[in-house]
Amino acid sequence: MNNNPAKRPVAAPAAATAGILLALALIALGVAGVQHASASAGWINESSWLDWIATKAEVLRPADWMTYAGIAAALIGIWLIATALTPRRPTHLAVGDEDIWIRPGDLARLAADTARTTSEVSSASAKSTRRAVKLTATAVTPDTVQLVQSLNTAIATRLQSVQPPPRIRVHVTPEEL
């Protein structure tokens, strides 16, 4: 059994999309290379795509737009390096001292469930991010101030083991008769 702590769940790297696009471009270049080798060896009756590109490139002369294209290529390269070095963002929150993780959406479910178990609440829904939980509830009683305080306490108690503890915002409206 491994006693090392589990790694924190994180999102996919930001460079994943750029890596996929560059891999596709490299595959296309490989296909062009295979087609060129096949045409040069006489295995196919078509002319080489790379030879066609080379003949078109022979007539090119230095132009103003090439400077801008070079600057754009340099900026794309800097962006790719920055993307590769960007740390992956965490997706889950720690629960207690154990290697247990919870998603922000599950915090919202726990908060709404806590509110629904209260007899003064007829309906409840919640939204959450990694840092905050926002609960919206409909109260059966007109005394919403006391209910807001009790819901804040109940939700904070239920989510006390989540690290870092989220901010809790409760909005209660009285039920319309």
Side-chain angles (χ1 to χ4, degrees):
M1 187 164 125
N2 189 357
N3 290 330
N4 295 334
K7 292 182 179 180
R8 181 181 195 109
V10 291
T17 304
I20 290 170
L21 293 175
L22 289 174
L24 291 173
L26 192 59
I27 290 170
L29 187 62
V31 167
V34 168
Q35 195 274 345
H36 176 75
S38 298
S40 297
W43 296 340
I44 59 174
N45 293 330
E46 296 180 22
S47 61
S48 170
W49 299 336
L50 296 179
D51 287 341
W52 180 82
I53 291 173
T55 58
K56 295 296 180 185
E58 284 179 358
V59 297
L60 288 178
R61 302 280 182 250
D64 291 339
W65 68 267
M66 292 179 182
T67 304
Y68 301 117
I71 292 170
L75 290 175
I76 289 171
I78 291 170
W79 174 75
L80 287 172
I81 291 171
T83 303
L85 297 176
T86 301
R88 301 187 317 172
R89 70 177 169 78
T91 56
H92 290 62
L93 298 162
V95 177
D97 295 333
E98 301 296 321
D99 294 331
I100 300 172
W101 305 95
I102 188 170
R103 296 174 297 184
D106 297 329
L107 288 178
R109 288 183 195 93
L110 287 172
D113 182 59
T114 302
R116 284 187 208 105
T117 59
T118 307
S119 62
E120 293 91 14
V121 174
S122 62
S123 67
S125 65
K127 292 182 181 180
S128 68
T129 62
R130 291 182 26 78
R131 296 184 182 164
V133 175
K134 183 179 179 184
L135 176 81
T136 305
T138 305
V140 182
T141 63
D143 183 20
T144 59
V145 176
Q146 179 64 28
L147 183 58
V148 167
Q149 292 172 352
S150 66
L151 286 175
N152 267 324
T153 304
I155 293 170
T157 302
R158 185 149 190 201
L159 301 179
Q160 70 183 357
S161 61
V162 175
Q163 296 300 324
R167 288 187 319 270
I168 300 168
R169 293 187 186 140
V170 176
H171 178 72
V172 177
T173 56
E175 192 172 56
E176 296 178 11
L177 299 173

